Amino acid sequence: MKISTNITIFGGTGDLTFRKLVPALYIMRRTGKLAPDARVVIIGRRDYTDDAYRTLARDWVRRFSRLPYTEADWDAFSQSIHYYRMNFSDPTAYSGLADCYAQHEIGAHMFYFAVAPAFFGTITEGLKTLPGLSGSKVVIEKPFGETLEAARVLNEELEGFFGAENIYRIDHYLGKEMIRNVQTIRFANPIFANAWNSQSIESVEISALEDVGVETRGGYYDAAGALKDMVQNHLFQILSILAMERPDNFTSAELHREQLRVLRALRPVDASTLEDTLVLGQYAGYREEPLVSPKSTTETFAAMRLFIDNDRWRGTPFYIRTGKKTGTRQTEVAITFRRSTPETDPDVLIVKVQPTEGVYLRFNIKRPGDTEDIVPAKMDFCQNCILENHINTPEAYERLLTACLNGERAWFSQWDQIELSWNFIEHLRALVAQTALPVHPYEAGNRGPDAARALPEKFGHAWVEEDD
Ligand code: BG6
């Protein structure tokens, strides 16, 4: 049989595969983004027949598919799933995988490493022993390694075998509808494009607040903390998209080049500026979470005040905050414009990423009636409320897997971005240790510690609340 694309998922019985990858592939097949002759080889250690695995996967698809599940679509898709039992840590196991591939004529391979980064190298070594796989596409998830040094070594190994242009590093925030929309809102509207600079913008805020705690991931999270788990990747990606110069054209290479320039222009932080740059917090009860050290000082909340030292942004602070157990789920970007006079309120543009997808704009108008009073007007556009039944925004993984199949690299992290962000965060962490920066406790349900609220206030700013 001829197979156009063979997608192999290592870590086939893990949470990511069940919740995200299989449901995404199911929709892709249904919407014509995955060819009918594509095959999905699921690799896991447990003993399943194809049918047993398909039955298991069907339940997850039923729960997590963004479109209503249908038996006919599932039947069509599930026939493409093949389960292959293997211990991928065992170098001798790979010859069997070679036999599995040799049964078909395969057009192209794509690998998905849905496993801990400690296994990336082992799997790559194993795949090297199979014929014809170098230069295949490979998708990997963060964290890309445990330390920057380990990540560098791993990256060299992956690039050596697959080729730099074939590595797709997933940052699922880049698959979110409204993150993609930031560029359009900014560049397709002269009212914003012409004002997108420090002359017109007083401050920029990026918030990613979560309601959930660390749940079952205490072991991983306790070693990572909010800075590495959210800031270094997702929030720095958003920051660089918001702040970049308009690329000459929107190719992957140009977008990445402009994003990289932003990261390079981040103002360095030293011990004397640390307190005005970073506030850390930990929610009450975090130390009792499973697999978390009872003495942990890991931050579950981080608030930052950063500057981009280039002509466009000099003087405009970028406030970033993210945290767990904050009593709300809210990811958004808020742009506060400069006031026209000291007495008027600033105009505010909010791009809402989740759970609502939309745009909010606050601006000044005259109070109706026989008065010249100026009052704020609020316009609130909720995209997913209106379009919900018509469009149903593709899920991030669906979008990113499709992009990978099509060889579109723009919405994946590049190694040099990761390296720069990682360097910045590691330097901050070293300063935290050196200056013994406190990790403030906060009650679960609060939007971080009081010190995080005070950070912008110290400089005459505040975290933007929509209903202010
Ligand atoms: C992941 C982090 O990358 O993003 C998690 O590891 C976090 O800790 C998650 O909860 C948030 O993603 P989302 O899509 O729910 O905002």
Side-chain angles (χ1 to χ4, degrees), residues 94-95 98-99 101-102 109 126-134 136 161:
Y94 285 79
S95 58
D99 296 341
Y101 291 154
H109 278 278
L127 292 177
K128 274 185 192 168
T129 61
L130 273 61
L133 295 184
S134 98
S136 301
F161 182 59

Side-chain angles (χ1 to χ4, degrees), residues 78-143:
S78 65
Q79 294 313 305
S80 334
I81 300 180
H82 174 60
Y83 184 82
Y84 187 77
R85 184 183 181 199
M86 159 180 177
N87 173 3
F88 51 71
S89 308
D90 173 7
T92 62
Y94 285 79
S95 58
L97 186 61
D99 296 341
C100 163
Y101 291 154
Q103 289 164 13
H104 302 282
E105 191 188 326
I106 294 175
H109 278 278
M110 173 176 144
F111 295 94
Y112 201 117
F113 293 179
V115 296
F119 297 112
F120 292 177
T122 319
I123 298 174
T124 307
E125 283 304 312
L127 292 177
K128 274 185 192 168
T129 61
L130 273 61
L133 295 184
S134 98
S136 301
K137 288 177 181 168
V138 62
V139 186
I140 56 176
E141 286 275 338
K142 70 145 191 99

